[in-house]
Amino acid sequence: MGILEVKGVGKRFGGLQALGDVNLSVAENSVHAIIGPNGAGKSTLLNCLVGKLIPDTGSVMFDGQSVLGRKPHEINQMGISRVFQTPEIFGDLTVMENVMIPCFAKRDGAFELNAFSSVFGQADIVARAEQILEDVNMQDKRHMHSASLSRGDKRRLEMAMCLVQEPKLLLLDEPTAGMARADTNNTIDLLKQIKQERDITMAIIEHDMHVVFSLADRITVLAQGTPLVEDTPENIKGHPKVREAYLGETAH
Amino acid sequence: MLGLNKKDMSLLLIVGALALLAPFILNPFPADSAMAQFNAGYPDLMQRFVIFGIFAIGFNILFGLTGYLSFGHAAFLGVGSYSAVWMFKLLSMNVVPAILLSVIVAGLFSLVIGFVSLRRSGIYFSILTLAFAQMSFNLAYSVLTPITNGETGLQLTLNDPRVLGVSQTADGSIPVTNLFGMEMRSTFEMDLGPWLFQFNTGYYLCAILMLLSFYLSVRIFRSPFGMMLRAVKSNQHRMNYTGLNTRPYTLAAFVISGMYAGLAGGLLASMDPLAGAERMQWTASGEVVLMTILGGAGTLLGPILGAGFIKYFENIFSKINDSVLHGWFGFMPDGLEDFIVTIVHPFVGKGWHLTLGLMFMAVVIFLPGGLIEGGQRIGKLFSRKSKKSDGGDAEHHPKQTPHVAE
């Protein structure tokens, strides 16, 4: 029984069957990659996991509880954090404030009318924020406006914001999309480091096979809204159906 | 001190000093000089400065922090005024219960309107609040006449059933509003050579409440709650996926600013116990938006500055009529004098809106951060000249990277 169990999930947009009958089981403390050509339903699946979309059929169980019908912030409070394709950060705020906000969310829950204490008077929050910035190697940038960071640093910051909440499951939606090779390798290293240092499960949607094969423990190939095959990276590389449907000549 | 850091504390002290010394500061010209008409240090106007200051401080908590532009805040001001006048009519002429009730009623009213309006954001939110405020205005004007006295406005009469107090004084007039016996309208006048300074009890009550409101807003700005509100403005999407529910945050900000507006409305009625529907009209809502943007939305001091600025224009510039202009330009040859007066005429007197509009445009175009940004730029200019070599605190003022999206 995995930490995330997706059973028979289907989603239809008008005449388009975006997801057919998706079954997926993500084992605890593993890195599970979901790959597939454009339009295969990867992002729809992810949106069903975080509460942005509600699937028409099927069930999604996380850590023994159903996530269906819950709002995104409630699902996050259950222990699922999400990294977006383009980094979503609080651009008007400083790097330090950016990582403090998830700390408050973790400590105080979804809402707290904390209007009379000072932000920087909260020793536990400040300490945690400082610690995570050190972990992602950004402590020297903590007073910068986050909108002025480079793309790679924004990605790092977003991951720090997710990790500081100590999620059980980290969802990554094409974390290296649009990155230069060097930045991609940095991100891979960061993810490897995260995986080593923490008890965390990751689900990655990714186009870049280099990233997928350097990180994933298991891979699910999605095509036209249904899982084509699920296996270890070694077997996926050699799988004739996958080569034909998706990898083609780009296989490494 | 008081839970503020050094910078905020000095800001609070400056505002406090300005508010308490306003009768002097606003009356720089001798009473019989030609410039005396630019004096703003009379009780009625000073009260307006601080009351609308409170209104704008509250509005800034919503608009400045969360970015939700409400176009209906005058409704809460009006509701506050009506509540206060009813308290004077029914309970007592003491302003304390009146002000308390106006804050509470405005808070409840904003809870209802905010709950509905905050289902949408951006322009839809603005339109919803505008619609609610206009609805309130029209209700007050027509259907709710038994409560609001329609277009005449709610006033005190000689036979109000005042429970704790008298319906009329011994000499048969309406009693005046007071704070435990201190009459709001009582004014201590001080003649100092050619100058005349007026110290009004009502003004000082308003000023003290304004200082309290300002202090409260500083605390909110610096609190985790304030940080969350800024995060709502910055990226709501990320907020939701960070496990935070944005709705209660925005609703709390809306109710707090509604209560500020109620306080302002209650004070208006306490200074002059009448309330009319026009206080809720959309132009009144627009005015507080102008004040906040003109002064600097999202800054602590900006809204107070903006409120003072607009009220000064409204009351001082509008008094300059043609005969005053002729007096000014009388030294010129007749033809030139008439010509100049004709040119200046549209900008003063009844045309003060034109001057205000031009200034507003100039501020929005050249100083998007409002008058505060103007002040900061001037300040920077001086500090650059005086201490060029000063590296300063590099950690707290890191260099902006060149590709900042401005």
Side-chain angles (χ1 to χ4, degrees):
Chain A
M1 179 87 175
I3 189 161
L4 181 73
E5 292 283 341
V6 178
K7 285 213 177 77
V9 163
K11 178 78 191 173
R12 174 176 279 280
F13 297 114
L16 175 76
Q17 187 79 37
L19 289 178
D21 177 32
V22 178
N23 293 294
L24 185 73
S25 173
V26 177
E28 203 163 350
N29 293 335
S30 70
V31 178
H32 198 118
I34 300 159
I35 63 172
N38 285 327
K42 305 185 294 290
S43 296
T44 308
L45 177 62
L46 198 72
N47 285 334
C48 288
L49 303 183
V50 295
K52 194 176 180 188
L53 292 175
I54 298 172
D56 303 330
T57 57
S59 71
V60 179
M61 301 290 282
F62 173 71
D63 213 10
Q65 284 175 297
S66 172
V67 305
L68 297 187
R70 289 179 203 250
K71 298 216 174 79
H73 70 264
E74 292 168 331
I75 293 174
N76 174 280
Q77 292 279 356
M78 290 167 75
I80 300 183
S81 284
R82 176 179 181 180
V83 170
F84 288 84
Q85 201 167 341
T86 45
E88 293 274 358
I89 52 174
F90 303 113
D92 301 334
L93 275 57
T94 66
V95 168
M96 184 70 179
E97 287 171 325
N98 263 278
V99 286
M100 284 173 90
I101 287 172
C103 296
F104 277 112
K106 172 90 179 167
R107 190 188 74 181
D108 300 337
F111 172 71
E112 173 90 26
L113 188 63
N114 203 346
F116 294 107
S117 53
S118 164
V119 170
F120 288 93
Q122 323 258 322
D124 55 329
I125 301 269
V126 172
R128 275 179 69 157
E130 299 262 1
Q131 180 59 45
I132 195 76
L133 286 181
E134 208 165 295
D135 288 354
V136 297
N137 207 9
M138 285 185 75
Q139 64 272 56
D140 51 328
K141 292 175 180 142
R142 66 178 180 275
H143 292 295
M144 277 175 79
H145 259 276
S146 60
S148 61
L149 294 172
S150 69
R151 172 73 183 258
D153 277 344
K154 280 182 184 162
R155 172 62 75 209
R156 250 171 210 282
L157 175 60
E158 194 188 26
M159 288 203 190
M161 289 163 72
C162 289
L163 290 175
V164 79
Q165 297 193 301
E166 288 161 10
K168 294 177 198 143
L169 174 64
L170 182 62
L171 299 174
L172 300 118
D173 189 356
E174 300 200 28
T176 64
M179 275 189 184
R181 201 77 200 167
D183 276 340
T184 303
N185 286 335
N186 280 338
T187 309
I188 294 175
D189 290 343
L190 180 65
L191 287 170
K192 276 184 175 159
Q193 181 199 338
I194 292 167
K195 190 179 151 189
Q196 261 174 17
E197 290 173 356
R198 293 160 198 268
D199 290 332
I200 190 168
T201 315
M202 294 194 227
I204 303 187
I205 286 183
E206 185 56 74
H207 266 303
D208 190 333
M209 288 307 122
H210 172 58
V211 179
V212 172
F213 288 124
S214 12
L215 286 168
D217 301 319
R218 273 192 95 74
I219 297 177
T220 297
V221 182
L222 220 56
Q224 285 154 10
T226 44
L228 206 60
V229 58
E230 187 196 315
D231 217 326
T232 58
E234 290 73 36
N235 294 343
I236 291 283
K237 270 186 202 173
H239 202 286
K241 254 166 99 184
V242 176
R243 294 187 79 97
E244 184 192 332
Y246 180 50
L247 292 179
E249 292 308 305
T250 62
H252 289 251
Chain B
M1 205 164 75
L2 290 173
L4 300 180
N5 65 27
K6 234 169 116 189
K7 208 174 139 213
D8 294 336
M9 196 62 219
S10 50
L11 204 61
L12 183 68
L13 288 177
I14 290 171
V15 174
L18 285 179
L20 297 180
L21 299 177
F24 294 109
I25 297 166
L26 294 172
N27 256 2
F29 307 111
D32 50 356
S33 70
M35 299 295 278
Q37 61 181 312
F38 288 108
N39 280 343
Y42 53 94
D44 190 44
L45 183 54
M46 288 196 297
Q47 287 165 3
R48 269 160 201 279
F49 281 157
V50 285
I51 290 172
F52 281 90
I54 293 173
F55 191 20
I57 291 172
F59 185 75
N60 190 41
I61 290 176
L62 179 70
F63 176 57
L65 286 178
T66 69
Y68 277 75
L69 178 57
S70 161
F71 253 106
H73 257 54
F76 310 130
L77 186 92
V79 166
S81 286
Y82 281 123
S83 317
V85 175
W86 271 112
M87 214 59 172
F88 293 138
K89 280 169 101 67
L90 298 179
L91 188 70
S92 132
M93 289 306 284
N94 194 328
V95 295
V96 173
I99 291 173
L100 283 180
L101 184 77
S102 55
V103 173
I104 292 167
V105 172
L108 293 175
F109 196 57
S110 57
L111 185 68
V112 175
I113 292 187
F115 185 78
V116 180
S117 305
L118 286 165
R119 299 188 154 268
R120 292 283 170 268
S121 60
I123 187 85
Y124 304 102
F125 168 79
S126 302
I127 296 296
L128 276 172
T129 50
L130 177 63
F132 272 114
Q134 274 306 88
M135 193 178 81
S136 313
F137 164 69
N138 283 315
L139 285 177
Y141 208 74
S142 55
V143 184
L144 293 178
T145 302
I147 301 174
T148 62
N149 204 16
E151 50 186 301
T152 326
L154 192 61
Q155 291 167 353
L156 301 185
T157 61
L158 282 170
N159 39 24
D160 287 327
R162 204 159 289 122
V163 179
L164 305 172
V166 289
S167 293
Q168 34 183 296
T169 54
D171 55 358
S173 57
I174 298 171
V176 294
T177 53
N178 62 72
L179 176 69
F180 302 112
M182 286 187 287
E183 290 186 4
M184 285 297 116
R185 63 172 187 195
S186 72
T187 303
F188 168 71
E189 296 192 344
M190 185 166 94
D191 274 309
L192 212 71
W195 282 278
L196 173 70
F197 300 113
Q198 304 180 55
F199 302 90
N200 174 265
T201 314
Y203 166 72
Y204 277 102
L205 174 72
C206 297
I208 288 166
L209 286 175
M210 192 271 278
L211 277 180
L212 277 176
S213 314
F214 181 69
Y215 170 70
L216 209 65
S217 105
V218 176
R219 289 299 296 265
I220 289 174
F221 266 62
R222 302 289 180 242
S223 70
F225 175 68
M227 185 167 80
M228 296 304 177
L229 295 183
R230 284 188 293 135
V232 168
K233 184 179 184 178
S234 185
N235 192 340
Q236 283 215 34
H237 199 213
R238 183 28 103 190
M239 279 287 271
N240 282 324
Y241 290 101
T242 306
L244 290 157
N245 194 354
T246 54
R247 283 285 296 286
Y249 279 106
T250 46
L251 186 60
F254 193 88
V255 171
I256 291 171
S257 73
M259 287 166 81
Y260 268 79
L263 173 63
L267 281 174
L268 274 181
S270 302
M271 298 303 119
D272 185 10
L274 51 88
E278 77 287 341
R279 234 168 237 184
M280 305 170 109
Q281 216 173 355
W282 69 271
T283 48
S285 300
E287 200 179 51
V288 72
V289 178
L290 287 192
M291 287 172 183
T292 310
I293 295 177
L294 189 70
T299 63
L300 287 167
L301 213 49
I304 306 177
L305 263 182
F309 220 78
I310 287 187
K311 284 292 149 192
Y312 186 84
F313 259 73
E314 183 184 306
N315 290 281
I316 302 295
F317 251 66
S318 61
K319 275 194 305 201
I320 304 173
N321 54 24
D322 274 6
S323 61
V324 175
L325 288 178
H326 279 289
W328 285 357
F329 300 111
F331 63 91
M332 293 176 176
D334 266 358
L336 190 60
E337 182 190 329
D338 288 342
F339 178 70
I340 296 277
V341 169
T342 318
I343 298 272
V344 178
H345 172 80
F347 293 95
V348 295
K350 281 178 191 155
W352 69 275
H353 277 114
L354 182 60
T355 316
L356 184 69
L358 289 173
M359 277 191 40
F360 186 70
M361 279 169 63
V363 164
V364 169
I365 294 168
F366 299 110
L367 297 170
L371 295 172
I372 288 289
E373 191 187 326
Q376 280 169 346
R377 283 197 197 171
I378 293 171
K380 254 185 216 158
L381 218 64
F382 278 106
S383 66
R384 206 179 299 154
K385 272 179 191 157
S386 62
K387 42 176 182 178
K388 210 162 193 175
S389 59
D390 183 21
D393 185 359
E395 190 187 37
H396 288 85
H397 301 282
K399 264 198 196 132
Q400 292 280 325
T401 39
H403 56 275
V404 184
E406 272 281 341

